[in-house]
Amino acid sequence: MTEHSGDQKALLDKAVKMFVDATPPVGAPIEDWRAGFEGMAANFEIPADAVIEEIDSDGVPGRKVRAPGAQENRLVLHFHSGGYVQGSSLSYRNFAYRLSAVTGATVVVPDYRLAPENLYPAAVEDARTVYEWALKTWDPARIVISGDSAGGGLAMATLLLVRDNNLPKPAAGVGISALLDLAGEGASMEECASTDPLIDRNMVVEMGKVYIGDIDPRKNPYCSPLWGEHHDLPPIFLLASHSEVLRDDSVRFAESVRAAGGEVRLSLPEDMVHIWTFFPFLDQAAASLEEIGQFVKSRVS
């Protein structure tokens, strides 16, 4: 599935162009944002051997995806990207298939409620519902909670929520280009402003306001997990491009987890586009997914 031919720079440029073409200006109608993202994702072929099922997780819709050889008794619960305002399990079918292939697990992508129709904490409530639904079928030692961009933030928020509510802990957590600070205060917001063609601090803060309104993200760790307490979490693997503005969300979160005595791994590949793993034609997408697969397999019994 992954294209290994061609110049890496040209392929990165292709990914950036697809992203830019799909993204309207800040302030455009939300329908334009959603249609653009779905249209971009429609370019990614769904393999014929993918097993895809529409599901209902105690009221939260979504899709369950399995690649050949994936086990039914292993689960990766993956929250999709989209700034809490766009994205869907439909647009994540190709990614979920590749994630299933490398982890050897069934992948569930929930369609958590989106803003502005459903403000915070709707997405977090849905994440809890889906996790509690999953616990009815899967051993928590065989569950990994994952996500990319806003979905990475939701994944880490779910880990905090699981701990705070004394729910059985999953085996591990994974965040890809995770949006962990809706205040947008990481140093990489400025340091990488000239190297990130897609995201900037204004987008982070303004799209965040669509989700959380006027509340202070620093005081609400379930929307900005960086600002929470990071003790007693399962092993976590965080990946971010070294040149993206969200890099320091992952760097700071990893530092805080370590300071709290937790186990965290951080991968910062050079010169990647935001959520590069979403693009099946990038060599680094395959390499990073292999890293994720190895991590998951090392944590899931």
Side-chain angles (χ1 to χ4, degrees):
M1 289 185 298
T2 302
E3 292 179 22
H4 292 283
S5 60
D7 178 71
Q8 177 77 156
K9 177 67 165 57
L11 293 174
L12 279 169
D13 288 346
K14 175 182 176 181
V16 170
K17 185 177 187 304
M18 291 179 72
F19 235 139
V20 170
D21 289 349
T23 304
V26 172
I30 200 66
E31 294 79 8
D32 293 354
W33 287 78
R34 292 173 181 168
F37 192 89
E38 296 296 322
M40 178 178 69
N43 289 289
F44 305 145
E45 182 181 355
I46 311 303
D49 56 6
V51 178
I52 301 175
E53 174 187 356
E54 294 186 31
I55 59 172
D56 183 295
S57 307
D58 287 343
V60 181
R63 283 175 171 79
K64 182 166 68 173
V65 181
R66 277 192 299 114
Q71 299 181 24
E72 282 277 16
N73 63 358
R74 288 180 176 177
L75 174 66
V76 175
L77 181 58
H78 187 85
F79 296 108
H80 66 74
S81 71
Y84 296 105
V85 302
Q86 64 185 19
S88 69
S89 65
L90 181 69
S91 59
Y92 265 69
R93 290 172 298 166
N94 172 282
F95 175 82
Y97 174 90
R98 291 181 285 123
L99 185 60
S100 175
V102 297
T103 59
T106 297
V107 174
V108 165
V109 182
D111 284 308
Y112 56 88
R113 286 171 290 170
L114 300 175
E117 297 92 337
N118 302 281
L119 300 180
Y120 171 81
V124 179
E125 293 169 349
D126 287 353
R128 176 174 182 166
T129 295
V130 173
Y131 185 65
E132 291 183 331
W133 164 84
L135 289 173
K136 299 175 184 177
T137 300
W138 284 274
D139 182 337
R142 290 177 172 265
I143 300 175
V144 172
I145 296 178
S146 172
D148 58 327
S149 197
L154 185 54
M156 297 303 112
T158 304
L159 296 183
L160 301 186
L161 183 150
V162 165
R163 178 202 62 202
D164 294 345
N165 289 274
N166 296 312
L167 296 172
K169 290 182 185 179
V174 176
I176 305 164
S177 292
L179 175 57
L180 302 170
D181 176 17
L182 292 180
E185 294 188 354
S188 56
M189 287 288 169
E190 298 299 329
E191 291 175 7
C192 299
S194 64
T195 56
D196 189 332
L198 302 175
I199 313 294
D200 59 27
R201 185 177 187 275
N202 180 63
M203 180 182 290
V204 167
V205 172
E206 293 305 316
M207 288 187 74
K209 288 179 181 177
V210 175
Y211 173 49
I212 64 174
D214 293 327
I215 69 172
D216 187 347
R218 303 169 191 83
K219 297 178 180 178
N220 292 273
Y222 292 161
C223 72
S224 276
L226 179 71
W227 297 97
E229 299 292 329
H230 301 136
H231 58 87
D232 297 324
L233 298 177
I236 294 172
F237 184 23
L238 298 172
L239 307 92
S241 171
H242 193 271
S243 57
E244 69 170 309
V245 298
L246 291 184
R247 179 195 68 204
D248 284 354
D249 283 30
S250 292
V251 171
R252 291 179 294 159
F253 195 87
E255 290 172 347
S256 183
V257 171
R258 289 193 188 106
E263 179 184 346
V264 62
R265 179 180 173 190
L266 181 63
S267 178
L268 300 172
E270 298 281 348
D271 301 325
M272 282 296 108
V273 66
H274 179 65
I275 61 166
W276 68 95
T277 52
F278 188 69
F279 296 91
F281 50 80
L282 293 178
D283 289 349
Q284 186 61 52
S288 293
L289 279 170
E290 283 296 332
E291 285 188 276
I292 292 169
Q294 291 169 12
F295 173 78
V296 169
K297 289 175 178 177
S298 73
R299 299 300 172 187
V300 175
S301 59

